[in-house]
Amino acid sequence: MSRRQCNFSFPCLLYFSKYTLHSHLHVKKSLFFLLQSSLNVSMSSSLPPSATTRHLLVFPYPAQGHMLPLLDLTNHLASHGGFTITILVTPKTLPLLHPLLQTHPSIQTLVLPFPSHPKLPVGVEHVSHIGNHGNFAIVAALRQLHDPIVDWFNSHPSPPVAIISDFFLGWTQRLADHLQIPRVAFYAVSSLLIHVMNSCWVHIKTDHFSSSPVIEFSEIPKSPSFKKEQLPSLVKQYQDSDPDWNLLRDDVLANTSSWACVVDTFENLDLEYLDHLRKLWGEGRVFGVGPVHLIGATKDGRNPIRESSSEILTWLDKCPDDSVVYVCFGSQKQLSRQQLEALASALEKSGTRFVWVVKTIHQTDGRSNGIPVGFEDRVSDRGIVVKGWVPQTAILHHRAVGGFLSHCGWNSVVESIANGVMVLGWPMEADQFINARLLVEDLGVAVRVCEGANSVPESEELGKIIAESLSRDSSEKMKAKALKRKAVEAVRPNGSSWKDMQAFIDKLIQLPQN
């Protein structure tokens, strides 16, 4: 099958090493088809795309904060009508697509077996199964899908004309180059984080970087600086002596060679950093399209591809406006017993209404999963403790929620901003310290209440901050509400994100058919 020749001569933002793929990552074609047969690798439709549409392959990274925004983008592309879409997942992440597939039955799925890796327990296919420390092994494992994807592409009657993949899957740039099609890097992070992350990976081998307790980023607008322990988790874990870590470094920097870059942000959220990214990457390559979960949302703020029914919403209906603090630290972080007890004490002392989503620890010493015995009974008239999934976007949209005690993961940040909810920030790992800086110092829509993965807040002080944040119209609360209006305006016709989304779609539509 002949392929068109593509010559991508876009300027590379940063140094990018050439790839070397280790032999142990190679998956032979015969093994692929054996796995396809034995593990029910599925393609939901074998029909070739229409001659009037462009076939896109969407490849999310299996972490909640990465996957949901890319599915939101996919939802919008599917609604446009000019694209045939295939989403690549592994078996255990397939159920996360069900709301989207019900909304758009025409979307196809490519389900490939999750490759094994010596640093991953059997059965792990999603970051929530192992936590942030498993990102390195998950990225390394997914890299083994290169050859199965090539086999699928070569056997498809009308293969994709482009790949849209998460920035954690930077190796798909090499895949796209091999297939001679363009690749779009999707970032469910802030523009500031993109700058910090790329700079770290460029300079990580230097003596200055390895020896300095504080890293200054003078090339980034406002010249931010961060302590070494506040940098992205993968940067802190880097081991120069390990070839796989250097391969991951190349993966991240490969994103700068992508055909286009789509960011879940909007101009009023981090304009200086977004504009700087456009300047570095070149005209027509960077698109700020956020908040992507607002695209296609109904007037009541509900997103058709995200679950939104819950008893919690019924409980919130009975609460006064801005009277409830929502407490959640994402799908991955499990607090220690000391942290759970301090937080429970703070919520009790605050006297405020709350919804607390908690990943509990194993029951020991007669305690109830780390939550103090009797706590739930004592606060039952004004608080709910949830030990499972909740519809976070719908909760933050509810009129009763006036504050969000959060780890400052980007998905949570964007959802809180889009709903005008001020943040009580407790950054712990990953991109969270950088996001907290943006929220507190640049935007003034958050208050930092604690810091660090192992820190234990002083319960009396935290309870006081929670109570005060809900009882008065602070500058942070007012700025959060003002930023909400700008977020909504951004995705409306002629808003900044609306224009960028239109420009991105136009760029895709101009691609030649295979």
Side-chain angles (χ1 to χ4, degrees):
M1 184 181 296
S2 63
R3 298 278 178 252
R4 67 182 183 280
Q5 296 297 314
C6 298
N7 180 22
F8 302 125
S9 57
F10 300 110
C12 186
L13 169 60
L14 301 168
Y15 169 77
F16 168 51
S17 300
K18 215 169 186 180
Y19 278 88
T20 56
L21 190 64
H22 297 294
S23 59
H24 72 274
L25 296 179
H26 182 71
V27 181
K28 292 185 179 293
K29 183 180 294 188
S30 59
L31 176 59
F32 164 64
F33 286 110
L34 174 63
L35 289 171
Q36 184 181 36
S37 174
S38 63
L39 292 180
N40 191 29
V41 174
S42 70
M43 283 161 275
S44 64
S45 174
S46 60
L47 296 175
S50 165
T52 61
T53 65
R54 302 298 189 273
H55 186 188
L56 306 175
L57 176 62
V58 176
F59 192 173
Y61 181 73
Q64 206 76 352
H66 291 246
M67 198 166 187
L68 287 177
L70 184 49
L71 295 183
D72 286 326
L73 176 66
T74 305
N75 174 50
H76 184 69
L77 294 176
S79 300
H80 179 270
F83 305 103
T84 297
I85 297 172
T86 299
I87 304 178
L88 193 164
V89 291
T90 59
K92 289 188 177 180
T93 54
L94 178 60
L96 298 176
L97 303 186
H98 286 169
L100 177 62
L101 297 179
Q102 288 176 346
T103 304
H104 300 286
S106 63
I107 291 179
Q108 305 169 42
T109 58
L110 171 60
V111 183
L112 298 178
F114 192 94
S116 63
H117 190 277
K119 293 184 179 179
L120 284 179
V122 175
V124 169
E125 296 185 17
H126 192 281
V127 177
S128 63
H129 300 160
I130 191 171
N132 265 330
H133 69 277
N135 276 314
F136 169 73
I138 289 176
V139 170
L142 291 174
R143 198 182 291 121
Q144 298 178 64
L145 294 181
H146 177 281
D147 287 359
I149 295 171
V150 171
D151 291 333
W152 170 80
F153 182 94
N154 287 334
S155 64
H156 200 287
S158 184
V161 299
I163 298 174
I164 303 175
S165 58
D166 189 273
F167 76 99
F168 263 28
L169 304 172
W171 59 268
T172 56
Q173 181 61 46
R174 172 185 162 274
L175 170 69
D177 291 343
H178 176 82
L179 299 175
Q180 298 180 18
I181 61 175
R183 181 242 173 174
V184 177
F186 179 76
Y187 286 90
V189 297
S190 68
S191 302
L192 172 58
L193 188 277
I194 297 174
H195 289 300
V196 170
M197 180 174 55
N198 286 343
S199 182
C200 285
W201 287 110
V202 167
H203 300 294
I204 200 165
K205 291 175 175 286
T206 65
D207 292 337
H208 174 73
F209 188 93
S210 59
S211 62
S212 298
V214 176
I215 306 298
E216 298 179 358
F217 297 91
S218 57
E219 74 277 20
I220 299 175
K222 299 184 179 180
S223 301
S225 62
F226 297 94
K227 297 176 183 178
K228 194 68 92 36
E229 60 267 25
Q230 296 175 330
L231 295 178
S233 300
L234 287 174
V235 171
K236 292 187 294 183
Q237 297 168 16
Y238 173 75
Q239 300 173 24
D240 187 31
S241 59
D242 187 336
D244 281 343
W245 274 101
N246 285 301
L247 193 59
L248 182 138
R249 173 178 178 265
D250 287 348
D251 285 349
V252 177
L253 294 180
N255 289 312
T256 66
S257 298
S258 63
W259 179 71
C261 159
V262 174
V263 190
D264 185 13
T265 190
F266 60 99
E267 290 192 349
N268 286 108
L269 182 52
D270 60 351
L271 178 58
E272 269 190 283
Y273 308 113
L274 185 61
D275 273 353
H276 192 58
L277 198 62
R278 288 168 173 152
K279 178 182 177 181
L280 291 171
W281 284 45
E283 185 68 26
R285 290 186 62 205
V286 177
F287 304 91
V289 301
V292 290
H293 75 276
L294 286 185
I295 302 172
T298 58
K299 287 185 178 181
D300 64 358
R302 302 202 175 186
N303 187 314
I305 72 162
R306 297 198 187 191
E307 298 288 349
S308 59
S309 60
S310 171
E311 294 178 0
I312 298 170
L313 300 176
T314 303
W315 182 83
L316 288 171
D317 288 340
K318 303 173 185 177
C319 300
D321 292 0
D322 292 337
S323 66
V324 178
V325 62
Y326 172 59
V327 183
C328 182
F329 300 101
S331 60
Q332 301 167 27
K333 184 61 182 175
Q334 182 171 281
L335 300 182
S336 68
R337 178 177 300 283
Q338 291 78 15
Q339 290 170 327
L340 284 169
E341 291 177 344
L343 186 49
S345 178
L347 289 170
E348 188 168 0
K349 291 176 180 178
S350 73
T352 61
R353 295 176 177 84
F354 66 86
V355 173
W356 181 13
V357 183
V358 56
K359 289 192 70 173
T360 54
I361 60 178
H362 295 299
Q363 184 174 342
T364 57
D365 302 328
R367 303 281 185 136
S368 177
N369 292 316
I371 298 173
V373 174
F375 167 76
E376 293 179 74
D377 292 333
R378 292 193 299 272
V379 299
S380 60
D381 61 330
R382 60 179 175 85
I384 297 179
V385 178
V386 186
K387 306 178 184 75
W389 175 89
V390 298
Q392 178 165 290
T393 305
I395 289 173
L396 288 170
H397 183 73
H398 199 284
R399 57 166 181 76
V401 176
F404 183 11
L405 179 51
S406 168
H407 61 330
C408 300
W410 190 245
N411 209 32
S412 293
V413 165
V414 174
E415 290 174 0
S416 62
I417 285 172
N419 290 290
V421 178
M422 71 166 292
V423 173
L424 305 176
W426 182 353
M428 299 181 183
E429 56 189 355
D431 61 340
Q432 296 159 18
F433 295 98
I434 292 154
N435 296 339
R437 181 196 187 281
L438 180 67
L439 293 176
V440 175
E441 297 177 29
D442 288 8
L443 298 171
V445 297
V447 176
R448 190 182 281 105
V449 299
C450 195
E451 188 171 276
N454 300 314
S455 298
V456 179
E458 202 286 309
S459 58
E460 191 82 37
E461 179 63 21
L462 179 56
K464 181 180 178 182
I465 293 173
I466 291 172
E468 289 181 350
S469 70
L470 294 180
S471 64
R472 61 188 178 89
D473 287 333
S474 64
S475 62
E476 291 85 5
K477 184 179 287 188
M478 301 308 292
K479 288 178 180 177
K481 292 184 182 298
L483 194 55
K484 171 190 175 178
R485 291 190 289 270
K486 294 176 180 177
V488 172
E489 289 170 0
V491 299
R492 285 178 175 168
N494 296 315
S496 61
S497 295
W498 183 89
K499 290 178 180 177
D500 267 19
M501 180 67 83
Q502 294 303 113
F504 173 58
I505 289 174
D506 288 344
K507 190 177 179 73
L508 290 174
I509 289 175
Q510 291 169 14
L511 287 171
Q513 293 277 33
N514 268 327

